[in-house]
């Protein structure tokens, strides 16, 4: 599909009507390109070893590391504790091993289950990446160099899970998996005191240097009577949103020096002060399965779901469309011979369709086209939010696509204290490799089936669920392919899954 | 509130720091201005008499009337069949009579119930307007002058209900109540054949003159393999969306000649081919009450619900903000003495809040401010969608507000054939005068209570519900005001309500 769309654009753009030679396309999400016949050569060493961002408690010092070398060739999360042989198996497209942290080693925080299969065949270095950390946040140091002390004199801890689905190169996913939680920590530093204070957050902070007690907080009473109430929760949401933006800006700055190729979808979860914050930018998905009930915790951001946002931007800033694209959507490509006829269309204001007389400008390629997994922005990319992609251009053109992509996540909050959870209640995070071939209900059924086969206090039960989900989406080798029980082909994409228990013995270790 | 906000802007804008004399503000939605002490002088004749847009079947001919004289002083819907005395009572602010169509006269189509109270005290000629029609749509005439015949050789009928809540003058609401359904009819003319054909709609229509059979429709099979499926339903939605836009454009063209002052929210419902289409632009509301269950059929469009859309526009087109406004939102007004301090803010990308250092530009007035009924765009208007407002400017400034307002409705569809409805299931439409003081659940309770007191086949039962709702929201005269049972003040606004039965004997008459 992608190559067809691409050559259509190229054909349109080329003035002579002769299709230009097909350049090697970068590998982008949701393509259906055929994997190369030969598995890639495995690398001998995981590039992540020794970077200090491994499993367990995060380091609490320093700004988001600007010096981390992200020039990794093939790497897997350190928490998988892969031996060189395990790393080779992970990369082996023919074997498609499902990988999980070892039973015998250090467990993931919070009894988290994890499993992945990295096909490494769809493209070179295009893998999902993952991160699972406990991060300590110290309060911001004052101008005098001494840390500000809260009334409790304590910093904050948050649990953190992140899935990063890379495209067009592995650099962005790799960098995000190492650094995004540090950006979040940095954003939370200003809030350490405020979040632990039961009073409503101050609307305005004095900047007097050396202030060391809460009197520097300008409370609501000193201000106008008309003011909005701001919750602690919305400060955490704002911190996550800004952290995503700063991560994206860092990728833009360092893309040359550190080979931050491509982009990635990011789905991350924070546990902080009793609440789970689920932040999604892209087409990964999170659901809570509670007592068999499914509670969606994210929405997917694709050319279809964000059509009107994209079209509005194209309408307001037509220079972003060049002379190749139109902001109008048509249900199929308009053909030159149809000039003057009436065709269905919709613009940035419409959810319905109407007929319009076809004019010359309508022959341009639509900014948004296709549907489902084949939907594309500028005939190129199938997700509309995420990190990176600063170099992404329309094929055979210099038009940048980044202005249409948003790095901002949508954050949904789940208050763990509002419900009595049992050991079988879980939050499942998965990249699109899982959800493309598995429905929410199938995931809930697998959760139920696998967990009921384990004792509630068996710490390996959540990893067993993750493995079952990845195996089910990958399929089993049959009839020249990895087949699902219904004989359909399994996901040809990377698949990575976190299963996070919401209650029960040993969950919050 | 409004005048306070206004003078704040004026103070900001005026360079010398001296507040300018307070000009007479136009009356805008959600203001809390005190009504004048004296009731207005009643007019002697309803301006609507003889305009040919009264109750019953609509006229099927002609384009949306460009010659209708909308220079009405005080008028009520013709279907109320008000005598001169009734009209005086309707306008009498001291009496605040609840008006409904008479029991003895011609009933509204579809056994619809209606009631209103027009306070006429909040401002002069600022009233809600309403329309209830059965409209016949003839197929578009071909170039040869003969009507195209569908396979059935028939046009289409739709039932239509509209509530128009005016502000800053009565002209826009009056004009919309007379003409919007004609624009919808005009948009549907192209679709008469297509909507009655069970095949999927053609994506492209030939324009060959004189074509008189369905062979002029270019079906999917003749097109590219990659194309979207378009439903009949989405064509009706598109027709309604475009009709709203054309109505708004007509107001812009004719505002001088016909004194189309002010703007209006519009909530309209179409019944067509088994489905109800509920289109809302503004802060009116529609709910279905079915077997006691509440199903929301609209969302309100206010500065709060559309904050991010407004901020994005201000960010992308800063010239629309002049030098007076900032697209950033702050929880309260920033004060000059706070320069350099950190204050909470959010921009077009954020749903959470974060702190930023206050700079000079942040001292500008926020594009969106306030909350609840006091939320405002540019310190002026409390709704963000609707028709008209082409002349609306920021107080003491030449900045137009219209670019931030959208004339497009959100359309929700309710398929009547999907459910078995009983005579007590209804669709309730109300302007904000109802919903400001009445919750959805209170409305459902009133529906239940009133309908159970009437026989299911009593045709006056739905008007009785509408009257009870209006009476309940208006309150009863007590203690220097119109008080609700909980002793709170009743709605000081116009209130108009349609109650549309979804099933039961005689409903679809």
């Amino acid at each position: 599909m992608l190559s067809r769309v691409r050559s259509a654009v190229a054909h349109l753009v080329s003035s002579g009507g002769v299709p230009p030679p097909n350049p090697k396309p970068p590998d982008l999400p949701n393509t259906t390109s055929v994997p190369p016949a030969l598995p890639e050569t495995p690398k001998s060493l995981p590039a992540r070893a020794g970077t200090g961002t491994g499993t367990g408690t995060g380091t609490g010092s320093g700004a988001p590391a600007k010096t981390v070398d992200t020039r990794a060739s093939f790497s897997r999360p350190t928490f998988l504790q892969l031996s060189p042989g395990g790393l080779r198996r992970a990369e082996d497209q023919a074997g498609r091993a499902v990988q999980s942290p070892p039973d015998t080693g250090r467990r993931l925080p919070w009894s988290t289950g994890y499993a992945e299969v990295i096909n490494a065949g769809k493209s070179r270095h295009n893998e999902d990446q993952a991160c699972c950390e406990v991060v300590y946040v110290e309060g911001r140091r004052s101008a005098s160099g001494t840390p500000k002390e809260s009334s409790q004199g304590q910093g904050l801890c948050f649990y953190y899970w992140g899935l990063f689905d890379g495209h067009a190169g592995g650099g962005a996913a790799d960098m995000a998996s190492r650094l995004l939680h540090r950006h979040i920590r940095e954003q939370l530093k200003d809030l350490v005191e405020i979040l632990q204070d039961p009073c409503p957050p101050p609307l305005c902070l004095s900047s007097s240097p050396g202030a060391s007690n809460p009197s520097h907080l300008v409370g609501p009473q000193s201000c106008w009577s008309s003011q909005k109430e701001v919750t602690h929760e919305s400060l955490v949401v704002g911190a996550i949103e800004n952290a995503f933006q700063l991560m994206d800006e860092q990728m833009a700055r360092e893309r040359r020096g550190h080979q931050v190729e491509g982009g990635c979808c990011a789905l991350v979860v924070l546990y902080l002060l009793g609440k789970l914050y689920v932040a999604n930018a892209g087409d990964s998905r999170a659901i809570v399965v509670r007592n068999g009930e499914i509670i969606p915790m994210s929405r997917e951001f694709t050319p279809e779901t964000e059509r009107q946002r994209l079209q509005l931007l194209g309408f307001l800033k037509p220079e972003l469309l060049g002379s190749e694209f139109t902001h109008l959507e048509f249900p199929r490509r308009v053909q030159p011979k149809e000039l003057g006829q009436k065709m269905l269309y919709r613009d940035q204001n419409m959810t319905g369709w109407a007929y319009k007389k076809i004019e010359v400008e309508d022959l341009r390629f639509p900014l948004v086209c296709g549907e489902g997994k084949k939907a594309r922005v500028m005939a190129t990319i199938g997700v509309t939010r995420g990190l990176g992609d600063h170099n992404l251009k329309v094929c055979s053109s210099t038009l940048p696509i980044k202005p249409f992509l948003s790095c901002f996540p949508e954050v949904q909050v789940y208050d763990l204290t509002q419900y009595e959870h049992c050991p079988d209640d879980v939050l499942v995070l998965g990249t699109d490799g899982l959800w493309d071939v598995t429905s929410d209900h199938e995931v809930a059924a697998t959760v139920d089936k696998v967990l009921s086969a384990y004792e509630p206090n068996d710490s390996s039960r959540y990893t067993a669920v993750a493995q079952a989900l990845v195996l089910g989406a990958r399929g089993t080798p049959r009839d020249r392919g990895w087949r699902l029980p219904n004989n359909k082909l399994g996901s040809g994409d990377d698949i990575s899954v976190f299963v996070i228990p919401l209650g029960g013995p040993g969950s919050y270790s």
Side-chain angles (χ1 to χ4, degrees), chain A:
Chain A
M1 171 62 192
L2 179 75
S3 57
R4 266 195 290 128
V5 174
R6 277 246 171 66
S7 34
V9 180
H11 186 64
L12 174 77
V13 174
S14 66
S15 55
V18 183
N22 206 4
K24 187 182 181 303
D27 198 66
L28 292 162
N30 307 338
T31 63
T32 51
S33 58
V34 181
L38 292 175
E40 297 185 67
T41 314
K43 306 294 167 299
S44 57
L45 278 176
R48 291 187 146 210
T51 56
T53 57
T55 312
T57 55
T59 55
S61 63
K66 294 188 176 179
T67 55
V68 168
D69 185 359
T70 56
R71 281 170 292 190
S73 51
F74 176 76
S75 73
R76 301 312 312 145
T78 326
F79 64 66
L80 284 175
Q81 303 166 51
L82 292 181
S83 65
L87 197 69
R88 273 194 298 276
R89 278 193 300 281
E91 199 181 6
D92 174 15
Q93 192 206 351
R96 302 187 73 194
V98 175
Q99 303 278 1
S100 282
D103 280 347
T104 50
R106 194 171 178 180
R107 283 193 331 190
L108 286 183
W110 197 293
S111 302
T112 301
Y114 177 80
E116 63 167 43
V117 58
I118 304 300
N119 297 322
K122 194 176 163 190
S123 75
R124 193 173 171 84
H125 308 148
N126 196 29
E127 297 82 12
D128 287 359
Q129 293 292 354
C131 181
C132 180
E133 296 270 345
V134 183
V135 182
Y136 178 73
V137 191
E138 226 175 342
R140 180 83 63 194
R141 282 163 193 275
S142 72
S144 65
T146 55
K148 286 180 192 168
E149 295 295 323
S150 73
S151 47
Q152 292 85 7
Q154 288 173 339
L156 280 173
C157 248
F158 66 86
Y159 287 77
Y160 173 86
W161 301 262
L163 289 182
F164 304 92
D165 181 355
H167 54 252
D174 195 62
M175 189 174 188
S177 71
R178 293 164 195 251
L179 297 182
L180 181 55
H181 55 292
R182 296 195 185 186
H183 280 288
I184 294 173
R185 184 186 61 199
E186 204 63 19
Q187 292 300 304
L188 288 174
K189 278 186 176 175
D190 270 339
L191 307 176
V192 166
E193 264 184 274
I194 294 163
L195 294 177
Q196 293 179 97
D197 186 342
C199 296
L203 307 185
C204 188
L205 301 175
S206 151
S207 60
S208 13
S212 62
N213 66 58
S215 69
H216 74 285
L217 308 179
V218 181
Q221 61 287 352
S222 67
C223 309
W224 287 17
S225 61
S226 166
Q227 59 186 27
K228 290 216 168 191
E229 206 174 292
V230 174
T231 61
H232 289 96
E233 184 179 302
S234 69
L235 295 190
V236 179
V237 172
I240 295 169
E241 289 170 331
N242 278 344
F244 270 69
Q245 185 175 29
L246 290 165
M247 181 75 254
D248 195 55
E249 287 172 3
Q250 187 183 359
M251 286 182 181
R253 280 196 311 274
E254 302 183 13
R255 58 189 150 167
R256 282 178 200 84
H258 294 288
Q259 295 181 356
V260 189
E261 333 90 355
C264 67
C265 298
L267 169 61
V268 310
V269 176
L270 248 76
Y271 170 81
L272 181 66
L273 299 169
K275 289 176 179 172
L276 289 168
Y277 296 83
V278 182
N280 187 42
D283 63 355
S284 297
R285 187 185 299 172
I287 64 171
V288 159
V289 181
R290 187 178 73 207
N291 198 20
E293 187 195 354
I294 293 160
I295 302 156
M297 289 303 300
S298 67
R299 293 188 303 156
E300 283 91 73
F301 296 100
T302 67
E304 285 193 300
T305 64
E306 296 216 279
R307 173 183 61 85
Q308 287 179 280
R309 175 179 76 75
L310 301 167
Q311 287 183 307
L312 178 64
L313 184 57
F315 173 75
L316 292 175
K317 298 268 185 192
E319 65 272 22
L320 297 177
L321 300 171
S323 55
E324 296 103 311
F325 291 91
T326 167
H327 75 286
L328 296 182
E329 186 190 15
F330 299 95
R332 63 164 173 78
R333 186 66 191 282
V334 182
Q335 297 167 4
K337 66 179 181 188
E338 292 169 326
L339 267 173
Q341 296 185 7
K342 281 185 170 181
M343 191 161 184
L344 288 173
Y345 81 102
R346 46 183 185 178
D347 67 18
Q348 67 280 1
N349 297 304
M350 299 167 73
T351 58
W353 295 86
Y355 291 98
K356 83 179 286 289
K357 194 171 167 184
I358 300 170
E359 294 161 56
V360 173
E361 289 208 343
D362 302 327
L363 295 174
R364 296 176 178 185
F365 208 85
L367 171 62
V368 175
C369 67
E371 57 188 333
K373 295 301 284 184
K374 293 181 177 175
R376 292 287 180 280
V377 182
M378 294 179 136
T380 304
I381 186 165
V383 290
T384 51
R385 299 210 191 183
L387 302 165
D389 288 319
H390 297 279
N391 291 332
L392 190 61
K393 299 273 194 304
V394 173
C395 187
S396 307
S397 163
T398 55
L399 267 188
I401 294 173
K402 182 70 177 174
F404 290 97
L405 308 179
S406 168
C407 65
F408 281 87
E410 184 180 66
V411 185
Q412 297 194 31
V413 185
Y414 184 89
D415 189 344
L416 273 175
T417 66
Q418 291 289 300
Y419 305 93
E420 284 278 337
H421 290 101
C422 76
D424 290 2
D425 295 338
V426 293
L427 172 63
V428 179
L429 315 181
T431 53
D432 66 335
L434 172 68
W435 305 104
D436 285 351
V437 295
T438 324
S439 72
D440 292 3
H441 286 279
E442 286 166 339
V443 167
T446 300
V447 167
D448 178 55
K449 187 175 157 196
V450 175
L451 289 183
S452 63
Y454 284 75
E455 291 296 321
N457 58 359
D458 185 334
S459 63
S460 64
R461 65 202 302 260
Y462 303 107
T463 287
V465 173
Q467 287 170 333
L469 289 172
V470 171
L471 270 167
R474 181 197 70 169
T476 45
R478 222 161 7 111
D479 299 341
R480 290 183 298 168
W482 298 81
R483 298 271 166 182
L484 304 178
N486 56 15
N487 206 34
K488 285 191 178 160
L489 267 178
S491 174
D493 204 353
D494 291 0
I495 311 166
S496 34
V497 172
F498 275 123
V499 178
I500 304 168
L502 300 181
S507 309
Y508 308 155
S509 58

